[in-house]
Amino acid sequence: MRVVFMGTPTFAANILIELKEQHDVVCVYTRADAVRGRGKALVPSPAKQVALEAGIPVREPDTLRDPKEIAFLKELAPDAIVVAAYGKILPKEVLDIPPFGCINVHGSLLPKYRGAAPMERAILDGEAETGVCIMRMEEGLDTGDYCISRSCEIGDQKLEHLAGELADKGAYALLTALYAIEQGEARWTKQDDSQATYAEKLGHDELMLDPADSAVMNARRVQASSDAHPSKCQLAGRGVTVLDARVAAGEDAPELEPGQVALQAKNLYMGCSDGAIRLIEVKPDGKKAMSAASFAAGIQNLKSQGSTWGRL
């Protein structure tokens, strides 16, 4: 197939890597270069990096509603447009261009978690499983029929690993779906709108840690965090990004008041409203990522001084 691809983050880039091997990807649409990760310089999106390395033309329009952009898309004459976490709404004029339609690789088990942050919301809600659907796009937000659905357990997977697993499943499901669509053999399933939920975009500081909240909630925030939405707090008077943490459990878990910090058997704990979380990996402001034990070792008399933690 002659395909136009639209996507931005690593989830999209991993799908593009597989797609370009079996189809003629004639152009990649993505978000403009932006500050991503820990530096201050503008960097291209992961999807753009894959496209440039493969010699695929890239476009970064502010909107797809511009008549000139729509005309350009028509001139590309794609058989299908594939979308994966692009971050922009496709107007009807674009949806009507490809004869085989606009196909979305959506990181949820539709109709649950329609919207911009399905994986993050599934983690925060404590879902046991999530998945990926190959959906035919229409004017409604993630309301189209889907032809393939693949599920996976969330468990303790952090967002990055979960997105990687879903990208792998989504890429192979997409290739299967495109073949079936081209052959006229795809079987579409209508979504049950009565079961739909909405995964709205994460707020700027939504994943900040807070001792007034439960240990489970704080641990889920860390699990759902990323460079774009880090889980941060003030720990022993220092700004810290918590990269990995678990709910403290078992006989060795200390009993702490909310906001208390304890170093016990080389494990660093932070007290929450109903228990504690055990820190595994942290990144102090201005420092490199390190184990929680290494961080604790750099703080004088952490245990005896009764250090505290709080929301930034």
PDB file of all heavy atoms in Angstrom, residues 101-126:
ATOM      1  N   GLY A 101      -9.222   4.337   3.770  1.00  0.00           N
ATOM      2  CA  GLY A 101      -9.549   4.980   5.032  1.00  0.00           C
ATOM      3  C   GLY A 101      -8.355   5.395   5.873  1.00  0.00           C
ATOM      4  O   GLY A 101      -7.199   5.145   5.522  1.00  0.00           O
ATOM      5  N   CYS A 102      -8.660   6.048   6.985  1.00  0.00           N
ATOM      6  CA  CYS A 102      -7.646   6.425   7.982  1.00  0.00           C
ATOM      7  C   CYS A 102      -7.718   5.422   9.123  1.00  0.00           C
ATOM      8  O   CYS A 102      -8.771   5.246   9.749  1.00  0.00           O
ATOM      9  CB  CYS A 102      -7.906   7.838   8.493  1.00  0.00           C
ATOM     10  SG  CYS A 102      -7.731   9.119   7.221  1.00  0.00           S
ATOM     11  N   ILE A 103      -6.606   4.761   9.391  1.00  0.00           N
ATOM     12  CA  ILE A 103      -6.555   3.652  10.352  1.00  0.00           C
ATOM     13  C   ILE A 103      -5.751   4.084  11.572  1.00  0.00           C
ATOM     14  O   ILE A 103      -4.590   4.492  11.450  1.00  0.00           O
ATOM     15  CB  ILE A 103      -5.903   2.406   9.711  1.00  0.00           C
ATOM     16  CG1 ILE A 103      -6.580   2.085   8.366  1.00  0.00           C
ATOM     17  CG2 ILE A 103      -5.980   1.217  10.667  1.00  0.00           C
ATOM     18  CD1 ILE A 103      -8.064   1.810   8.442  1.00  0.00           C
ATOM     19  N   ASN A 104      -6.355   3.982  12.751  1.00  0.00           N
ATOM     20  CA  ASN A 104      -5.700   4.410  13.985  1.00  0.00           C
ATOM     21  C   ASN A 104      -5.236   3.208  14.814  1.00  0.00           C
ATOM     22  O   ASN A 104      -6.001   2.258  15.016  1.00  0.00           O
ATOM     23  CB  ASN A 104      -6.686   5.256  14.808  1.00  0.00           C
ATOM     24  CG  ASN A 104      -6.090   5.791  16.102  1.00  0.00           C
ATOM     25  OD1 ASN A 104      -6.743   5.807  17.126  1.00  0.00           O
ATOM     26  ND2 ASN A 104      -4.851   6.232  16.051  1.00  0.00           N
ATOM     27  N   VAL A 105      -3.985   3.271  15.281  1.00  0.00           N
ATOM     28  CA  VAL A 105      -3.485   2.283  16.240  1.00  0.00           C
ATOM     29  C   VAL A 105      -3.654   2.914  17.619  1.00  0.00           C
ATOM     30  O   VAL A 105      -2.871   3.784  18.012  1.00  0.00           O
ATOM     31  CB  VAL A 105      -2.008   1.936  15.981  1.00  0.00           C
ATOM     32  CG1 VAL A 105      -1.553   0.825  16.920  1.00  0.00           C
ATOM     33  CG2 VAL A 105      -1.802   1.536  14.518  1.00  0.00           C
ATOM     34  N   HIS A 106      -4.680   2.512  18.340  1.00  0.00           N
ATOM     35  CA  HIS A 106      -5.023   3.168  19.603  1.00  0.00           C
ATOM     36  C   HIS A 106      -4.630   2.299  20.799  1.00  0.00           C
ATOM     37  O   HIS A 106      -4.986   1.115  20.843  1.00  0.00           O
ATOM     38  CB  HIS A 106      -6.525   3.467  19.656  1.00  0.00           C
ATOM     39  CG  HIS A 106      -6.887   4.440  20.741  1.00  0.00           C
ATOM     40  ND1 HIS A 106      -7.343   4.039  21.971  1.00  0.00           N
ATOM     41  CD2 HIS A 106      -6.816   5.793  20.777  1.00  0.00           C
ATOM     42  CE1 HIS A 106      -7.558   5.123  22.726  1.00  0.00           C
ATOM     43  NE2 HIS A 106      -7.246   6.183  22.024  1.00  0.00           N
ATOM     44  N   GLY A 107      -3.933   2.888  21.770  1.00  0.00           N
ATOM     45  CA  GLY A 107      -3.400   2.136  22.898  1.00  0.00           C
ATOM     46  C   GLY A 107      -4.392   1.900  24.010  1.00  0.00           C
ATOM     47  O   GLY A 107      -4.141   2.280  25.166  1.00  0.00           O
ATOM     48  N   SER A 108      -5.498   1.271  23.694  1.00  0.00           N
ATOM     49  CA  SER A 108      -6.485   0.917  24.718  1.00  0.00           C
ATOM     50  C   SER A 108      -7.352  -0.215  24.207  1.00  0.00           C
ATOM     51  O   SER A 108      -7.299  -0.567  23.026  1.00  0.00           O
ATOM     52  CB  SER A 108      -7.366   2.114  25.074  1.00  0.00           C
ATOM     53  OG  SER A 108      -8.402   2.281  24.126  1.00  0.00           O
ATOM     54  N   LEU A 109      -8.145  -0.764  25.121  1.00  0.00           N
ATOM     55  CA  LEU A 109      -9.148  -1.745  24.725  1.00  0.00           C
ATOM     56  C   LEU A 109     -10.468  -1.002  24.559  1.00  0.00           C
ATOM     57  O   LEU A 109     -11.269  -0.902  25.473  1.00  0.00           O
ATOM     58  CB  LEU A 109      -9.271  -2.846  25.799  1.00  0.00           C
ATOM     59  CG  LEU A 109      -8.031  -3.726  25.973  1.00  0.00           C
ATOM     60  CD1 LEU A 109      -8.212  -4.660  27.160  1.00  0.00           C
ATOM     61  CD2 LEU A 109      -7.744  -4.526  24.706  1.00  0.00           C
ATOM     62  N   LEU A 110     -10.637  -0.444  23.374  1.00  0.00           N
ATOM     63  CA  LEU A 110     -11.847   0.336  23.104  1.00  0.00           C
ATOM     64  C   LEU A 110     -13.101  -0.487  23.349  1.00  0.00           C
ATOM     65  O   LEU A 110     -13.088  -1.696  23.155  1.00  0.00           O
ATOM     66  CB  LEU A 110     -11.809   0.836  21.651  1.00  0.00           C
ATOM     67  CG  LEU A 110     -10.697   1.840  21.327  1.00  0.00           C
ATOM     68  CD1 LEU A 110     -10.591   2.059  19.824  1.00  0.00           C
ATOM     69  CD2 LEU A 110     -10.923   3.171  22.044  1.00  0.00           C
ATOM     70  N   PRO A 111     -14.164   0.149  23.874  1.00  0.00           N
ATOM     71  CA  PRO A 111     -14.373   1.616  23.954  1.00  0.00           C
ATOM     72  C   PRO A 111     -13.842   2.262  25.227  1.00  0.00           C
ATOM     73  O   PRO A 111     -14.063   3.451  25.428  1.00  0.00           O
ATOM     74  CB  PRO A 111     -15.895   1.729  23.884  1.00  0.00           C
ATOM     75  CG  PRO A 111     -16.372   0.499  24.591  1.00  0.00           C
ATOM     76  CD  PRO A 111     -15.407  -0.586  24.175  1.00  0.00           C
ATOM     77  N   LYS A 112     -13.140   1.506  26.090  1.00  0.00           N
ATOM     78  CA  LYS A 112     -12.574   2.127  27.285  1.00  0.00           C
ATOM     79  C   LYS A 112     -11.355   2.975  26.920  1.00  0.00           C
ATOM     80  O   LYS A 112     -10.577   2.629  26.056  1.00  0.00           O
ATOM     81  CB  LYS A 112     -12.185   1.065  28.317  1.00  0.00           C
ATOM     82  CG  LYS A 112     -13.361   0.264  28.863  1.00  0.00           C
ATOM     83  CD  LYS A 112     -12.949  -0.640  30.005  1.00  0.00           C
ATOM     84  CE  LYS A 112     -12.630   0.167  31.245  1.00  0.00           C
ATOM     85  NZ  LYS A 112     -12.354  -0.696  32.425  1.00  0.00           N
ATOM     86  N   TYR A 113     -11.213   4.074  27.606  1.00  0.00           N
ATOM     87  CA  TYR A 113     -10.054   4.957  27.495  1.00  0.00           C
ATOM     88  C   TYR A 113      -9.880   5.551  26.099  1.00  0.00           C
ATOM     89  O   TYR A 113      -8.792   5.575  25.552  1.00  0.00           O
ATOM     90  CB  TYR A 113      -8.790   4.232  27.956  1.00  0.00           C
ATOM     91  CG  TYR A 113      -8.857   3.846  29.411  1.00  0.00           C
ATOM     92  CD1 TYR A 113      -9.122   2.527  29.785  1.00  0.00           C
ATOM     93  CD2 TYR A 113      -8.706   4.802  30.408  1.00  0.00           C
ATOM     94  CE1 TYR A 113      -9.227   2.173  31.122  1.00  0.00           C
ATOM     95  CE2 TYR A 113      -8.806   4.449  31.747  1.00  0.00           C
ATOM     96  CZ  TYR A 113      -9.063   3.139  32.096  1.00  0.00           C
ATOM     97  OH  TYR A 113      -9.164   2.805  33.421  1.00  0.00           O
ATOM     98  N   ARG A 114     -10.990   5.993  25.516  1.00  0.00           N
ATOM     99  CA  ARG A 114     -10.860   6.828  24.321  1.00  0.00           C
ATOM    100  C   ARG A 114     -10.134   8.118  24.720  1.00  0.00           C
ATOM    101  O   ARG A 114     -10.282   8.604  25.836  1.00  0.00           O
ATOM    102  CB  ARG A 114     -12.245   7.186  23.787  1.00  0.00           C
ATOM    103  CG  ARG A 114     -13.057   6.006  23.233  1.00  0.00           C
ATOM    104  CD  ARG A 114     -14.465   6.465  22.914  1.00  0.00           C
ATOM    105  NE  ARG A 114     -15.261   5.401  22.314  1.00  0.00           N
ATOM    106  CZ  ARG A 114     -16.578   5.514  22.094  1.00  0.00           C
ATOM    107  NH1 ARG A 114     -17.217   6.621  22.430  1.00  0.00           N
ATOM    108  NH2 ARG A 114     -17.231   4.510  21.533  1.00  0.00           N
ATOM    109  N   GLY A 115      -9.358   8.681  23.794  1.00  0.00           N
ATOM    110  CA  GLY A 115      -8.736   9.962  24.084  1.00  0.00           C
ATOM    111  C   GLY A 115      -7.229   9.937  24.078  1.00  0.00           C
ATOM    112  O   GLY A 115      -6.598   9.013  23.546  1.00  0.00           O
ATOM    113  N   ALA A 116      -6.628  10.967  24.690  1.00  0.00           N
ATOM    114  CA  ALA A 116      -5.211  11.276  24.490  1.00  0.00           C
ATOM    115  C   ALA A 116      -4.254  10.499  25.369  1.00  0.00           C
ATOM    116  O   ALA A 116      -3.080  10.367  25.027  1.00  0.00           O
ATOM    117  CB  ALA A 116      -4.992  12.773  24.710  1.00  0.00           C
ATOM    118  N   ALA A 117      -4.699   9.995  26.523  1.00  0.00           N
ATOM    119  CA  ALA A 117      -3.753   9.368  27.459  1.00  0.00           C
ATOM    120  C   ALA A 117      -4.280   8.014  27.944  1.00  0.00           C
ATOM    121  O   ALA A 117      -4.425   7.794  29.148  1.00  0.00           O
ATOM    122  CB  ALA A 117      -3.494  10.298  28.630  1.00  0.00           C
ATOM    123  N   PRO A 118      -4.546   7.090  27.027  1.00  0.00           N
ATOM    124  CA  PRO A 118      -5.173   5.825  27.448  1.00  0.00           C
ATOM    125  C   PRO A 118      -4.284   4.968  28.341  1.00  0.00           C
ATOM    126  O   PRO A 118      -4.773   4.360  29.302  1.00  0.00           O
ATOM    127  CB  PRO A 118      -5.476   5.130  26.113  1.00  0.00           C
ATOM    128  CG  PRO A 118      -4.510   5.728  25.138  1.00  0.00           C
ATOM    129  CD  PRO A 118      -4.352   7.158  25.571  1.00  0.00           C
ATOM    130  N   MET A 119      -2.990   4.898  28.030  1.00  0.00           N
ATOM    131  CA  MET A 119      -2.102   4.044  28.831  1.00  0.00           C
ATOM    132  C   MET A 119      -1.907   4.627  30.230  1.00  0.00           C
ATOM    133  O   MET A 119      -1.956   3.908  31.234  1.00  0.00           O
ATOM    134  CB  MET A 119      -0.758   3.877  28.112  1.00  0.00           C
ATOM    135  CG  MET A 119      -0.836   3.022  26.862  1.00  0.00           C
ATOM    136  SD  MET A 119       0.740   2.950  25.982  1.00  0.00           S
ATOM    137  CE  MET A 119       0.447   4.100  24.655  1.00  0.00           C
ATOM    138  N   GLU A 120      -1.672   5.925  30.289  1.00  0.00           N
ATOM    139  CA  GLU A 120      -1.455   6.571  31.598  1.00  0.00           C
ATOM    140  C   GLU A 120      -2.701   6.420  32.484  1.00  0.00           C
ATOM    141  O   GLU A 120      -2.590   6.109  33.680  1.00  0.00           O
ATOM    142  CB  GLU A 120      -1.128   8.057  31.410  1.00  0.00           C
ATOM    143  CG  GLU A 120       0.207   8.324  30.725  1.00  0.00           C
ATOM    144  CD  GLU A 120       0.079   8.425  29.213  1.00  0.00           C
ATOM    145  OE1 GLU A 120      -0.877   7.845  28.652  1.00  0.00           O
ATOM    146  OE2 GLU A 120       0.934   9.090  28.596  1.00  0.00           O
ATOM    147  N   ARG A 121      -3.874   6.642  31.887  1.00  0.00           N
ATOM    148  CA  ARG A 121      -5.109   6.558  32.677  1.00  0.00           C
ATOM    149  C   ARG A 121      -5.389   5.121  33.138  1.00  0.00           C
ATOM    150  O   ARG A 121      -5.899   4.910  34.241  1.00  0.00           O
ATOM    151  CB  ARG A 121      -6.288   7.091  31.862  1.00  0.00           C
ATOM    152  CG  ARG A 121      -6.198   8.577  31.541  1.00  0.00           C
ATOM    153  CD  ARG A 121      -6.323   9.416  32.773  1.00  0.00           C
ATOM    154  NE  ARG A 121      -6.094  10.839  32.465  1.00  0.00           N
ATOM    155  CZ  ARG A 121      -5.888  11.762  33.391  1.00  0.00           C
ATOM    156  NH1 ARG A 121      -5.874  11.441  34.677  1.00  0.00           N
ATOM    157  NH2 ARG A 121      -5.689  13.022  33.045  1.00  0.00           N
ATOM    158  N   ALA A 122      -5.077   4.158  32.304  1.00  0.00           N
ATOM    159  CA  ALA A 122      -5.293   2.762  32.704  1.00  0.00           C
ATOM    160  C   ALA A 122      -4.423   2.411  33.904  1.00  0.00           C
ATOM    161  O   ALA A 122      -4.861   1.715  34.836  1.00  0.00           O
ATOM    162  CB  ALA A 122      -4.994   1.834  31.527  1.00  0.00           C
ATOM    163  N   ILE A 123      -3.173   2.880  33.905  1.00  0.00           N
ATOM    164  CA  ILE A 123      -2.282   2.634  35.049  1.00  0.00           C
ATOM    165  C   ILE A 123      -2.814   3.331  36.298  1.00  0.00           C
ATOM    166  O   ILE A 123      -2.905   2.729  37.368  1.00  0.00           O
ATOM    167  CB  ILE A 123      -0.852   3.127  34.726  1.00  0.00           C
ATOM    168  CG1 ILE A 123      -0.205   2.241  33.654  1.00  0.00           C
ATOM    169  CG2 ILE A 123       0.013   3.117  35.990  1.00  0.00           C
ATOM    170  CD1 ILE A 123       1.132   2.765  33.149  1.00  0.00           C
ATOM    171  N   LEU A 124      -3.166   4.599  36.177  1.00  0.00           N
ATOM    172  CA  LEU A 124      -3.630   5.361  37.334  1.00  0.00           C
ATOM    173  C   LEU A 124      -4.907   4.777  37.920  1.00  0.00           C
ATOM    174  O   LEU A 124      -5.143   4.859  39.130  1.00  0.00           O
ATOM    175  CB  LEU A 124      -3.851   6.822  36.945  1.00  0.00           C
ATOM    176  CG  LEU A 124      -2.588   7.638  36.653  1.00  0.00           C
ATOM    177  CD1 LEU A 124      -2.950   9.018  36.112  1.00  0.00           C
ATOM    178  CD2 LEU A 124      -1.738   7.791  37.907  1.00  0.00           C
ATOM    179  N   ASP A 125      -5.737   4.186  37.076  1.00  0.00           N
ATOM    180  CA  ASP A 125      -6.991   3.587  37.551  1.00  0.00           C
ATOM    181  C   ASP A 125      -6.783   2.190  38.132  1.00  0.00           C
ATOM    182  O   ASP A 125      -7.742   1.574  38.608  1.00  0.00           O
ATOM    183  CB  ASP A 125      -8.010   3.517  36.405  1.00  0.00           C
ATOM    184  CG  ASP A 125      -8.542   4.901  36.039  1.00  0.00           C
ATOM    185  OD1 ASP A 125      -8.291   5.853  36.792  1.00  0.00           O
ATOM    186  OD2 ASP A 125      -9.214   5.020  34.993  1.00  0.00           O
ATOM    187  N   GLY A 126      -5.567   1.658  38.042  1.00  0.00           N
ATOM    188  CA  GLY A 126      -5.294   0.341  38.596  1.00  0.00           C
ATOM    189  C   GLY A 126      -5.862  -0.796  37.779  1.00  0.00           C
ATOM    190  O   GLY A 126      -6.139  -1.882  38.310  1.00  0.00           O
TER     191      GLY A 126
END
